Amino acid sequence: MAGSKYAYVRNFELPDPLLPRTFMVLRLDGHSFHRFSDEHDFTKPNDIRALKLMDHAAKDLMEQYPDVVLAFGESDEFSFLIRKSASLYNRRQSKIVSTLTSLFTSSYVFRWATYFPDRPLKYPPSFDGRLVLYPGAQEIRDYFSWRQTDTHINNLYNTTFWALVQQGGETTTQAHTTLKGTVSKEKNEILFSRFHINYNTLDAQFRKGSILVREEISEEPVPDTSTTADTSTENDTTTSPASSLPKMRGRTKPRTKVVVLHCDIIKDKFWDARPEILSS
Amino acid sequence: MAGSKYAYVRNFELPDPLLPRTFMVLRLDGHSFHRFSDEHDFTKPNDIRALKLMDHAAKDLMEQYPDVVLAFGESDEFSFLIRKSASLYNRRQSKIVSTLTSLFTSSYVFRWATYFPDRPLKYPPSFDGRLVLYPGAQEIRDYFSWRQTDTHINNLYNTTFWALVQQGGETTTQAHTTLKGTVSKEKNEILFSRFHINYNTLDAQFRKGSILVREEISEEPVPDTSTTADTSTENDTTTSPASSLPKMRGRTKPRTKVVVLHCDIIKDKFWDARPEILSS
Amino acid sequence: MAGSKYAYVRNFELPDPLLPRTFMVLRLDGHSFHRFSDEHDFTKPNDIRALKLMDHAAKDLMEQYPDVVLAFGESDEFSFLIRKSASLYNRRQSKIVSTLTSLFTSSYVFRWATYFPDRPLKYPPSFDGRLVLYPGAQEIRDYFSWRQTDTHINNLYNTTFWALVQQGGETTTQAHTTLKGTVSKEKNEILFSRFHINYNTLDAQFRKGSILVREEISEEPVPDTSTTADTSTENDTTTSPASSLPKMRGRTKPRTKVVVLHCDIIKDKFWDARPEILSS
Amino acid sequence: MAGSKYAYVRNFELPDPLLPRTFMVLRLDGHSFHRFSDEHDFTKPNDIRALKLMDHAAKDLMEQYPDVVLAFGESDEFSFLIRKSASLYNRRQSKIVSTLTSLFTSSYVFRWATYFPDRPLKYPPSFDGRLVLYPGAQEIRDYFSWRQTDTHINNLYNTTFWALVQQGGETTTQAHTTLKGTVSKEKNEILFSRFHINYNTLDAQFRKGSILVREEISEEPVPDTSTTADTSTENDTTTSPASSLPKMRGRTKPRTKVVVLHCDIIKDKFWDARPEILSS
């Protein structure tokens, strides 16, 4: 064949299989999103439209990849848990990282106008992805606890910081100085005493981040009002049917759907109610 | 700190640096693009709008990443050459693969409406990316020869196949049978004798693919009519100023721009004229 | 400094850390040992001196590396289990594989004359080593079951094969033909009816391989007669004090010693009695 | 088959092929050789028997592995260059590192008594091995320049240090203090003025290390007196026929032999005379 004398170059492509029977966590982070959020006038400290857009992109990803059994998002990052037994793309690292990062990015741009109808995208945003293996269930619990703790710490800081600036009239430099060295209790106190803000009543999405899991759908085609006791006030009921996505081989079975929660994932309750997430 | 007892999970993220002083080639491929092109009614055998969209996404990528010194595209794939001496993201494999794949995808979706103004995107497309290292210049020459040879082989087959179907009235099954075992000369003969098509006069983009390189811009702000002798009939003059992209640190110097060519890259001429591509 | 302009070459040495909190199994295999055993007239089907020499080299290794909590040997191969929590050499793969393979080899040559006093080593033998990670305890159980099953299958075949040759007067070709397609029961039958050999009464070392574990030493300096109920007839009491090895930092605590057993490790009994092997 | 239900554990063994067409350098280092040399009373600053033993082990390795085209040794370390085009063990990293490290170690122990006839080995020594890839010839030149420069620096320091201690009556602490901050010229001056030692007339092996290369053997079975002009006074003529090693497939062709030199490898002369080392 004409090209055969060059085909040897394929031999330089080396295999990159991931260790079998280990959990995979793929974490995506917005690339230069400080600038991106400025250019697109995101609301401070949290832009609910931007967060819902992230959630939607994550949901699209979970609907195409049934091996993804849990996702957690905050700010411009999202973590996806791929189950231990997954044989997705024969567990090839580059294939998994690149394809899932690509799909998330694509969905983010595709759905931008739905969440920002009056603010056109100025330029194409990008995300980086990294995949980390964890051998055991405890490490997965700790990974997600780490991310949700981070959400809390960042959100408390940012909420107080922007209250000082937006309502307190401080410059950003002054606000940083005011907060330097303060512990959580002191930030809560500043919020409450100076701005009459009770942190614990803020939108759960800001305090807890977004948790995406699959839930079974009851057979009767009733309106979607599924809520679970522990998350009743924190459910996001905009469960997209994702009807715009192509049907794919191996896609999630029709009797489950992806739901967005904003509940605690550090304590046992969340995990005890969903033993399938960590089972093999 | 509140999250510190969980922070050990970061230790599972392992380093993945690439060997220094080797060329990197990143190849992107459309994921399930057979279906995607059907769903979006791409013209057979080549859809010029889809190809120009790919070129534009590749150009956006090169403009953000000056370490990318050459790109080659055909159909739903694109290869990017990153120079040997690049220290991009400290040569971390996942970071490079995921970020560049993400940006390409993002640009593809972002610019879709420009190339398909009357055909809305039905769902978010995705690409996979893989990165291959090559120690020497000869292997890089051979890699791009391999891809361009592939372009020629595929295009000659597809052109003949669709001529048989669209103009010859054959079914796709019949057309496959007609072409089975034929060599290039026979396909050329079918095209010419039955359909009066001289293969060599077809659009160079279809026959040669797209080659993206940087060229120096003359200082005077004259209209862009730069052509080089060897590619005069095959240049794409739609050199985008990419003004919509944010200015980035490390971006290409203002005196060069990315141009799209459709010339031969197997023979020496292309490379002899651009020694900087393979130099370190 | 004089050498500083060349020191950049160190940057090509890439990190190779192994995933934390996973079990490591290092398996060593004799390199070209078919020839080696011929050249040194090893007894067929099993040479007890050669097996004891392998055991001794494995014991030396375990005494220098307290992170190795279990070893299993048969023929010219040995597998070593390194506990999950080990931080040996910062879990650098090449360092662990090369150093442990080197020590085993060194001990094998160093102790050769002890086991083969009248047969000088003709040339230096070598071993290859490979390291495999396992995320869970069940996989470790299955790994060692796999090796001990292999020991049984090989030994039954070889015992019958050499009985046919040495006692039955068959050529090696005839013996292969006789055994072709036979199952275990038929091989046992051949051994018993033709050669009056009851396979189950053969030396346990041949049937079960060698298992090396650490056992606590009672405080009183009594002679070493430690045996456990389940392995009473299968213990190797030649527990070497390894006094010839240098005292090393991190070496096994004085109250344990490495013992060689030839017992079943497929059923639960072995593991239930030694929960520390699989615990983290 | 009896063992088939456990055989899945083989799937955890992941491929580790090295990039094709790159030079490989394997460097071995003695493990805890400071103690080992003390325990075996090595002469300070250089023990010629220990160095010759290292050379012999390296020669054994080169004679079994024709892909190794150059070796350089000093003190308790040795570096081996494997040619770019080698397909040794399908370029599997662990296999190459472990097997070659094992053979070197084995030979070291096997030949100990030849070089230390009156000093029995007290315990088995070990070596660690690491493999580094280099894409180009210049990096290989620089790698070996780096090692030979290191040899010079260390040897000049150690020679002066031990002269101060052994002949000058200083304690080791005093000697360190005397040498602190001195440059090469000053150390040479100390050696010459206080001990009448002209550094440049010391044994070339101490100053230059050992270089092992293959040389063609003339057809006539004459005594081995081959020397090359530039290394005439520095050749080691104890070229072992290695007759004790088994004949192996792929072994070096009969018309070459491995010779030990102690010449400069930083300047061009050595490399110009042996273009085959860096050619593919």
Side-chain angles (χ1 to χ4, degrees):
Chain A
M1 192 173 100
S4 61
K5 79 175 185 182
Y6 305 124
Y8 80 91
V9 297
R10 284 183 300 193
N11 299 331
F12 288 75
E13 188 179 333
L14 303 180
D16 63 347
L18 295 158
L19 190 65
R21 296 199 191 186
T22 46
F23 294 101
M24 306 178 209
V25 172
L26 174 70
R27 185 166 75 248
L28 307 182
D29 279 281
H31 180 69
S32 297
F33 257 52
H34 187 78
R35 177 183 195 99
F36 182 79
S37 61
D38 281 349
E39 294 265 0
H40 294 87
D41 293 319
F42 282 11
T43 303
K44 306 287 185 187
N46 294 289
D47 189 306
I48 190 67
R49 300 158 304 175
L51 293 173
K52 297 283 186 197
L53 173 55
M54 291 286 288
D55 292 350
H56 205 152
K59 198 184 298 181
D60 283 348
L61 188 151
M62 285 186 70
E63 282 167 349
Q64 278 216 28
Y65 292 95
D67 284 321
V68 178
V69 292
L70 174 67
F72 176 79
E74 61 161 319
S75 183
D76 66 341
E77 77 165 53
F78 241 101
S79 297
F80 298 94
L81 173 63
I82 301 173
R83 61 200 176 87
K84 284 180 75 156
S85 57
S87 59
L88 178 64
Y89 299 136
N90 289 321
R91 299 179 77 91
R92 284 180 292 149
Q93 176 155 334
S94 282
K95 181 82 172 181
I96 295 172
V97 172
S98 63
T99 308
L100 273 61
T101 305
S102 177
L103 179 60
F104 184 91
T105 307
S106 189
S107 176
Y108 189 93
V109 178
F110 178 67
R111 301 199 185 281
W112 173 268
T114 305
Y115 294 90
F116 290 94
D118 51 1
R119 191 162 304 164
L121 199 52
K122 291 184 178 175
Y123 61 87
S126 58
F127 293 83
D128 72 54
R130 71 197 68 198
L131 197 147
V132 185
L133 294 180
Y134 290 99
Q138 185 57 50
E139 289 129 11
I140 294 299
R141 287 283 306 267
D142 290 345
Y143 176 85
F144 285 98
S145 293
W146 177 52
R147 298 323 302 147
Q148 193 168 54
T149 302
D150 186 74
T151 303
H152 169 68
I153 292 168
N154 289 338
N155 187 59
L156 178 57
Y157 187 95
N158 292 336
T159 300
T160 316
F161 178 87
W162 287 105
L164 289 167
V165 171
Q166 294 167 345
Q167 302 173 47
E170 297 193 3
T171 65
T172 55
T173 306
Q174 288 170 325
H176 278 303
T177 305
T178 301
L179 292 177
K180 195 166 185 180
T182 57
V183 295
S184 291
K185 193 179 171 185
E186 294 165 306
K187 294 190 193 75
N188 273 303
E189 184 62 22
I190 291 171
L191 281 176
F192 192 72
S193 63
R194 294 183 52 181
F195 306 109
H196 311 295
I197 297 172
N198 180 345
Y199 182 77
N200 290 322
T201 61
L202 295 180
D203 190 333
Q205 173 148 17
F206 302 157
R207 292 180 292 113
K208 301 293 186 187
S210 293
I211 296 95
L212 279 70
V213 291
R214 292 177 207 288
E215 290 198 349
E216 290 207 6
I217 299 172
S218 64
E219 282 300 272
E220 312 93 307
V222 293
D224 177 8
T225 57
S226 67
T227 53
T228 57
D230 66 314
T231 59
S232 58
T233 63
E234 302 186 342
N235 271 356
D236 179 333
T237 56
T238 61
T239 316
S240 85
S243 58
S244 57
L245 291 176
K247 302 288 177 283
M248 294 187 60
R249 177 175 54 85
R251 206 181 150 190
T252 181
K253 293 171 194 157
R255 299 189 55 191
T256 67
K257 64 176 179 182
V258 174
V259 296
V260 182
L261 312 174
H262 309 294
C263 61
D264 176 86
I265 55 172
I266 298 176
K267 300 197 200 77
D268 292 339
K269 188 174 183 181
F270 172 83
W271 303 91
D272 289 346
R274 297 168 184 82
E276 71 282 3
I277 291 177
L278 295 178
S279 73
S280 55
Chain B
M1 194 174 98
S4 61
K5 77 176 186 181
Y6 305 123
Y8 79 90
V9 298
R10 284 182 300 194
N11 299 332
F12 289 75
E13 188 179 333
L14 303 179
D16 64 346
L18 295 158
L19 191 66
R21 293 199 192 187
T22 46
F23 294 101
M24 305 179 211
V25 172
L26 174 70
R27 185 165 76 249
L28 306 182
D29 279 282
H31 179 69
S32 298
F33 257 53
H34 188 78
R35 177 185 193 97
F36 183 79
S37 61
D38 281 350
E39 293 264 2
H40 294 86
D41 294 319
F42 281 11
T43 304
K44 307 287 186 185
N46 296 290
D47 188 306
I48 189 66
R49 299 159 303 174
L51 292 173
K52 295 285 185 199
L53 173 55
M54 290 287 287
D55 292 350
H56 204 151
K59 198 185 297 183
D60 283 348
L61 189 151
M62 285 185 69
E63 283 168 349
Q64 278 216 28
Y65 291 96
D67 284 321
V68 178
V69 292
L70 174 67
F72 176 79
E74 59 161 320
S75 184
D76 65 343
E77 77 164 54
F78 240 99
S79 296
F80 297 93
L81 174 64
I82 301 172
R83 62 200 176 84
K84 284 180 77 155
S85 58
S87 58
L88 178 63
Y89 299 136
N90 288 320
R91 299 179 77 90
R92 285 179 291 149
Q93 176 154 332
S94 282
K95 181 83 172 180
I96 295 172
V97 171
S98 63
T99 308
L100 273 61
T101 305
S102 177
L103 179 60
F104 184 91
T105 307
S106 189
S107 176
Y108 189 92
V109 178
F110 177 68
R111 301 197 186 282
W112 173 269
T114 304
Y115 293 90
F116 291 93
D118 51 3
R119 190 163 304 164
L121 199 51
K122 290 184 179 175
Y123 62 86
S126 59
F127 294 83
D128 72 54
R130 71 196 69 198
L131 197 148
V132 185
L133 295 180
Y134 290 99
Q138 186 56 51
E139 290 129 10
I140 294 299
R141 288 283 306 266
D142 290 345
Y143 176 86
F144 285 97
S145 293
W146 177 53
R147 299 323 302 146
Q148 193 168 56
T149 302
D150 185 74
T151 302
H152 170 69
I153 291 169
N154 289 338
N155 188 58
L156 178 56
Y157 187 94
N158 292 336
T159 301
T160 316
F161 177 86
W162 288 105
L164 290 167
V165 172
Q166 293 166 345
Q167 302 172 47
E170 296 193 5
T171 64
T172 54
T173 307
Q174 288 171 325
H176 278 303
T177 305
T178 301
L179 292 177
K180 195 165 185 180
T182 58
V183 296
S184 291
K185 194 179 171 186
E186 295 165 305
K187 294 191 193 75
N188 273 303
E189 184 62 22
I190 290 171
L191 281 176
F192 193 71
S193 62
R194 293 183 53 180
F195 306 108
H196 312 295
I197 296 172
N198 180 346
Y199 181 78
N200 291 322
T201 61
L202 294 179
D203 190 334
Q205 173 149 16
F206 303 157
R207 292 180 292 111
K208 300 293 186 188
S210 293
I211 297 95
L212 279 70
V213 291
R214 292 178 206 287
E215 289 199 347
E216 290 207 5
I217 301 171
S218 65
E219 281 302 273
E220 313 92 308
V222 291
D224 178 10
T225 56
S226 66
T227 52
T228 58
D230 66 316
T231 58
S232 56
T233 63
E234 302 186 343
N235 271 355
D236 179 333
T237 56
T238 62
T239 315
S240 86
S243 57
S244 56
L245 291 176
K247 302 289 178 279
M248 294 187 60
R249 177 175 53 86
R251 209 181 147 187
T252 181
K253 292 172 197 158
R255 299 190 53 188
T256 66
K257 64 177 178 183
V258 175
V259 296
V260 182
L261 312 175
H262 309 293
C263 61
D264 175 86
I265 55 171
I266 299 176
K267 299 195 202 79
D268 293 338
K269 187 175 183 182
F270 172 84
W271 304 91
D272 288 346
R274 296 168 185 82
E276 71 282 3
I277 291 177
L278 296 177
S279 73
S280 56
Chain C
M1 194 173 103
S4 61
K5 78 176 185 180
Y6 305 124
Y8 80 91
V9 297
R10 284 183 299 193
N11 299 331
F12 288 75
E13 188 180 333
L14 302 179
D16 63 348
L18 295 158
L19 190 66
R21 296 201 191 185
T22 46
F23 294 101
M24 306 178 208
V25 173
L26 174 69
R27 185 165 74 248
L28 307 183
D29 279 281
H31 180 69
S32 298
F33 256 52
H34 187 79
R35 179 187 191 97
F36 183 78
S37 61
D38 281 350
E39 293 266 0
H40 294 87
D41 294 319
F42 282 11
T43 303
K44 306 286 186 188
N46 294 291
D47 189 306
I48 190 68
R49 299 159 302 176
L51 293 173
K52 296 283 185 200
L53 173 55
M54 291 286 287
D55 292 350
H56 205 151
K59 197 184 299 183
D60 283 348
L61 188 151
M62 284 185 71
E63 282 168 349
Q64 277 216 27
Y65 291 96
D67 283 321
V68 178
V69 292
L70 174 67
F72 176 80
E74 60 162 319
S75 183
D76 65 342
E77 78 165 52
F78 240 100
S79 296
F80 297 93
L81 174 64
I82 301 173
R83 61 199 176 86
K84 284 180 76 155
S85 57
S87 58
L88 178 64
Y89 298 137
N90 287 321
R91 299 179 76 91
R92 284 180 292 147
Q93 176 155 334
S94 282
K95 182 83 173 179
I96 295 172
V97 171
S98 63
T99 309
L100 273 61
T101 305
S102 177
L103 178 60
F104 184 91
T105 307
S106 189
S107 177
Y108 189 93
V109 178
F110 177 67
R111 301 197 185 282
W112 173 269
T114 304
Y115 294 90
F116 291 93
D118 51 3
R119 191 161 305 163
L121 199 51
K122 291 185 178 175
Y123 61 87
S126 58
F127 293 84
D128 73 53
R130 71 196 68 198
L131 197 148
V132 185
L133 295 180
Y134 291 100
Q138 185 58 50
E139 289 129 11
I140 294 300
R141 287 283 306 266
D142 290 347
Y143 176 85
F144 285 98
S145 293
W146 177 53
R147 298 323 302 147
Q148 193 169 53
T149 303
D150 186 74
T151 303
H152 169 68
I153 292 169
N154 290 339
N155 188 59
L156 178 56
Y157 187 95
N158 291 338
T159 300
T160 316
F161 177 86
W162 287 106
L164 290 167
V165 171
Q166 293 167 349
Q167 303 173 47
E170 297 193 4
T171 65
T172 55
T173 306
Q174 288 170 323
H176 278 303
T177 305
T178 301
L179 292 177
K180 196 166 186 181
T182 57
V183 295
S184 291
K185 195 180 169 183
E186 294 165 308
K187 294 191 192 73
N188 273 303
E189 183 62 24
I190 291 171
L191 281 176
F192 192 71
S193 63
R194 294 184 54 180
F195 306 109
H196 310 296
I197 296 172
N198 180 345
Y199 181 77
N200 290 322
T201 61
L202 294 179
D203 190 332
Q205 173 149 15
F206 302 157
R207 293 180 291 112
K208 301 293 185 187
S210 294
I211 296 96
L212 280 71
V213 290
R214 293 179 205 287
E215 290 198 347
E216 290 207 4
I217 300 172
S218 65
E219 283 301 272
E220 312 91 309
V222 293
D224 177 8
T225 57
S226 67
T227 52
T228 58
D230 67 315
T231 59
S232 56
T233 63
E234 301 186 341
N235 270 356
D236 180 333
T237 56
T238 62
T239 314
S240 86
S243 58
S244 57
L245 290 177
K247 302 289 177 281
M248 295 187 61
R249 177 176 52 84
R251 207 181 151 189
T252 182
K253 293 171 196 157
R255 301 190 53 188
T256 67
K257 64 176 178 182
V258 175
V259 296
V260 181
L261 312 174
H262 309 294
C263 61
D264 175 85
I265 54 172
I266 298 176
K267 300 196 200 78
D268 293 337
K269 189 176 181 181
F270 172 84
W271 303 91
D272 289 347
R274 295 168 184 82
E276 71 282 4
I277 292 177
L278 296 177
S279 73
S280 54
Chain D
M1 194 173 99
S4 61
K5 77 175 185 182
Y6 304 124
Y8 80 90
V9 297
R10 284 182 299 194
N11 299 331
F12 288 76
E13 188 180 334
L14 303 179
D16 64 346
L18 295 158
L19 192 65
R21 296 200 190 186
T22 46
F23 294 100
M24 304 179 211
V25 172
L26 174 69
R27 185 166 74 249
L28 306 183
D29 278 282
H31 180 69
S32 297
F33 256 53
H34 187 77
R35 178 184 193 97
F36 183 79
S37 61
D38 282 348
E39 293 266 1
H40 294 87
D41 293 320
F42 282 12
T43 304
K44 306 287 185 188
N46 295 290
D47 188 307
I48 190 66
R49 300 158 301 174
L51 292 174
K52 295 284 186 198
L53 173 55
M54 291 288 287
D55 292 350
H56 205 152
K59 198 185 298 182
D60 283 348
L61 189 151
M62 285 185 71
E63 282 167 351
Q64 277 216 29
Y65 292 95
D67 284 321
V68 178
V69 293
L70 174 66
F72 176 80
E74 60 161 321
S75 183
D76 65 343
E77 77 165 53
F78 240 100
S79 297
F80 297 93
L81 174 63
I82 301 173
R83 61 198 176 86
K84 282 181 77 155
S85 58
S87 58
L88 178 63
Y89 299 136
N90 288 322
R91 299 178 77 91
R92 284 180 291 148
Q93 175 154 335
S94 281
K95 181 84 172 179
I96 295 172
V97 172
S98 63
T99 308
L100 273 62
T101 305
S102 177
L103 179 61
F104 184 90
T105 307
S106 188
S107 177
Y108 189 92
V109 179
F110 178 68
R111 300 197 187 282
W112 173 269
T114 304
Y115 293 90
F116 291 94
D118 50 3
R119 191 162 306 164
L121 198 52
K122 292 185 178 174
Y123 61 87
S126 58
F127 294 83
D128 73 53
R130 69 196 69 198
L131 197 148
V132 185
L133 295 181
Y134 290 99
Q138 185 57 49
E139 289 129 10
I140 294 299
R141 287 283 307 265
D142 290 345
Y143 176 86
F144 285 98
S145 294
W146 177 53
R147 298 322 303 145
Q148 194 168 54
T149 302
D150 185 74
T151 302
H152 169 69
I153 291 168
N154 289 338
N155 187 59
L156 178 56
Y157 187 94
N158 292 336
T159 300
T160 315
F161 177 86
W162 288 105
L164 289 167
V165 172
Q166 293 167 347
Q167 303 173 47
E170 297 193 3
T171 65
T172 54
T173 306
Q174 288 171 325
H176 278 302
T177 305
T178 302
L179 292 176
K180 195 166 185 180
T182 57
V183 296
S184 292
K185 195 180 169 184
E186 295 165 306
K187 295 190 191 74
N188 273 304
E189 184 61 24
I190 291 171
L191 281 176
F192 192 71
S193 63
R194 295 184 51 180
F195 306 108
H196 310 295
I197 296 171
N198 180 346
Y199 181 78
N200 291 322
T201 61
L202 295 179
D203 189 333
Q205 173 149 16
F206 303 156
R207 292 179 293 110
K208 301 293 186 187
S210 294
I211 297 96
L212 279 70
V213 291
R214 294 179 203 289
E215 290 199 347
E216 291 207 5
I217 300 171
S218 65
E219 283 302 272
E220 312 92 309
V222 293
D224 177 7
T225 57
S226 67
T227 52
T228 58
D230 66 316
T231 59
S232 55
T233 63
E234 303 186 341
N235 272 356
D236 180 333
T237 55
T238 61
T239 314
S240 86
S243 57
S244 57
L245 290 177
K247 301 290 179 279
M248 294 187 61
R249 175 174 55 85
R251 207 179 149 188
T252 182
K253 294 173 195 156
R255 300 190 53 189
T256 67
K257 64 176 178 181
V258 174
V259 297
V260 181
L261 312 175
H262 310 293
C263 62
D264 175 86
I265 55 172
I266 298 176
K267 300 196 201 78
D268 293 336
K269 188 175 184 183
F270 171 84
W271 303 90
D272 288 346
R274 297 167 184 83
E276 71 281 2
I277 291 176
L278 295 177
S279 73
S280 56

